[in-house]
Amino acid sequence: SCVVRILQVQGVADQEVLEPLTHILECKSGEPYEVQYKEGKAGAFYLDTPEFQPFDFKAGEQVIYTFGGSSLVYPMGNSFPEEMRRTAREAGLPWRVINYGNLGIDSYSVRNQVLVAVGHRPPDLVLIYSGHNDYTYIYWSEAMTPLNLLEGSLLLEPLAMAGFSLWNANRPEDVDKRWSSFEEFRRGAFEPALVSLLSRSVGLHARRGELVKELNARAVRGYRKNTAIMLKACREAGVRVLLVTPVFNLHYPPVGVDGQAEALFARGKAAASYDEQIELLVKAKDADAFSGMIRAKSPLLDYLRGLHAPPWVSVLQLDQEMYRDRQPLDDTQFVDSLHLREPFHQRVAKH
């Protein structure tokens, strides 16, 4: 079997590493490989997804690396990278799309992926769709103590397993099978809901607004730092970058401080005009603190918009395009608070 070194780590912005994860460079599909951690641990796995194919680039092939969190993975078969591959095939374009998207990673982990992957073999284009998790992890840290106590009591695993069984038994037919595995369900649905419940029960949602301001500032600081490092590495390697502004379900109920987010949300839902509705719902989304799945906030999106500097860096303002098209940004377009349904993945692919 071939040996794979660690390319990705799970952390919070630029803070300490929390959990080592893995990604593949050069192993054949179906071939067993050995993972080597710094501590000397090892495990045997098999490669069975299109993203883990060997890098057999062909002459004249345009290579695109995609980086980000679960939005580049879900819905299965209709993600950004899958739509890009499909678009290329239908148009007869010589594109090779390699997806480094991974469940639940923030810009710190994306940065590590970009540095190693681009340094190992530079592509023609790097696409980055990231930002939601930089907020989610920082807010989650405020509820980690009770969550860790639950884990220590050995109650968390049985509760999650019961939730997964219940969800599978009652899954609506129109919902894609994004939680097809227990681990995906636990990290993508159960833990966010539990964090939201815990943050309310321990009174975090009632703490003064300075807490939220500090958490928001920390998220943007870490994101700016990590993005600047990624762009510098790509520029030095002669690689163009496409940044995509994260988008979100504006009809996903927020949980804020002193009821402010909830009040803005109610006013937005009742607004008579589209423009007023979007303005209020965006403010409600920005005020969200403890819903369990925090969506990227306006200061982060404004920072991304300011990075547009062709030909090396282009920014696809997906949120602004949706507003211009008078899109509702609701459950008809999102499978949850932030994972898009198929039509908008197609839009990114065509861009």
Side-chain angles (χ1 to χ4, degrees):
S1 64
C2 57
V3 175
V4 181
R5 58 196 174 102
I6 294 299
L7 301 186
Q8 174 191 342
V9 290
Q10 180 66 64
V12 178
D14 56 347
Q15 300 176 22
E16 293 294 322
V17 173
L18 299 182
E19 176 187 2
L21 299 174
T22 61
H23 206 77
I24 312 309
L25 277 183
E26 296 186 67
C27 289
K28 296 178 181 178
S29 180
E31 177 183 6
Y33 66 93
E34 181 183 13
V35 180
Q36 292 187 343
Y37 296 89
K38 290 181 179 179
E39 297 85 354
K41 299 177 182 178
F45 305 88
Y46 284 87
L47 313 182
D48 56 6
T49 64
E51 289 77 15
F52 296 158
Q53 299 299 314
F55 283 10
D56 53 346
F57 296 164
K58 301 174 182 178
E61 196 172 43
Q62 299 293 302
V63 180
I64 302 174
Y65 293 169
T66 59
F67 297 92
S70 54
S71 292
L72 269 71
V73 179
Y74 300 136
M76 296 297 186
N78 292 318
S79 63
F80 288 123
E82 288 292 339
E83 290 297 337
M84 291 169 70
R85 292 181 185 125
R86 191 172 294 123
T87 299
R89 286 196 302 269
E90 292 173 353
L93 298 172
W95 289 2
R96 171 77 179 277
V97 180
I98 298 176
N99 182 20
Y100 283 91
N102 212 320
L103 179 67
I105 64 174
D106 57 8
S107 65
Y108 180 81
S109 298
V110 172
R111 180 190 83 180
N112 291 338
Q113 286 185 322
V114 169
L115 294 181
V116 175
V118 170
H120 176 73
R121 190 166 296 180
D124 296 284
L125 176 71
V126 160
L127 180 149
I128 301 173
Y129 183 96
S130 178
H132 295 306
N133 290 329
D134 284 73
Y135 286 95
T136 294
Y137 283 131
I138 283 177
Y139 276 94
W140 276 30
S141 67
E142 293 300 308
M144 280 297 103
T145 298
L147 188 63
N148 289 337
L149 288 174
L150 268 178
E151 286 186 327
S153 69
L154 303 180
L155 290 174
L156 194 59
E157 195 80 7
L159 285 173
M161 185 61 73
F164 181 56
S165 300
L166 185 64
W167 187 88
N168 272 330
N170 296 278
R171 181 166 55 205
E173 292 182 0
D174 63 338
V175 176
D176 65 276
K177 298 180 180 180
R178 59 191 185 280
W179 311 129
S180 56
S181 75
F182 169 68
E183 185 60 25
E184 289 175 358
F185 170 80
R186 174 172 170 166
R187 295 184 64 179
F190 177 76
E191 287 186 357
L194 185 59
V195 167
S196 177
L197 176 64
L198 290 173
S199 64
R200 300 184 212 191
S201 65
V202 298
L204 292 174
H205 68 292
R207 291 173 61 177
R208 53 199 177 95
E210 283 72 14
L211 168 68
V212 172
K213 291 179 182 178
E214 172 55 26
L215 295 178
N216 290 341
R218 282 169 51 195
V220 174
R221 278 200 307 269
Y223 187 85
R224 289 173 65 104
K225 176 179 179 180
N226 294 324
T227 301
I229 292 172
M230 289 188 279
L231 294 182
K232 181 175 183 291
C234 289
R235 182 66 180 89
E236 290 175 350
V239 176
R240 292 175 296 135
V241 178
L242 174 61
L243 301 170
V244 182
T245 57
V247 290
F248 23 70
N249 183 350
L250 288 177
H251 290 257
Y252 186 82
V255 179
V257 176
D258 298 329
Q260 295 175 12
E262 293 88 335
L264 287 166
F265 183 73
R267 287 173 55 197
K269 295 277 282 187
S273 72
Y274 177 82
D275 291 336
E276 182 184 8
Q277 181 183 71
I278 292 298
E279 180 183 1
L280 289 168
L281 291 180
V282 167
K283 289 180 179 178
K285 179 264 301 178
D286 287 345
D288 186 16
F290 304 108
S291 68
M293 188 70 81
I294 308 301
R295 294 153 288 178
K297 303 191 178 189
S298 294
L300 186 148
L301 300 180
D302 292 339
Y303 165 70
L304 279 178
R305 300 188 217 285
L307 295 176
H308 186 70
W312 291 107
V313 180
S314 299
V315 179
L316 171 56
Q317 299 189 45
L318 189 56
D319 59 327
Q320 296 300 314
E321 285 199 3
M322 295 178 78
Y323 300 151
R324 283 195 296 269
D325 292 346
R326 320 301 278 182
Q327 299 292 337
L329 286 88
D330 60 12
D331 292 339
T332 65
Q333 297 172 317
F334 292 82
V335 297
D336 49 29
S337 65
L338 50 86
H339 295 110
L340 277 164
R341 295 186 185 273
E342 182 178 356
F344 293 94
H345 287 187
Q346 293 172 350
R347 177 174 297 207
V348 175
K350 291 176 181 178
H351 183 89

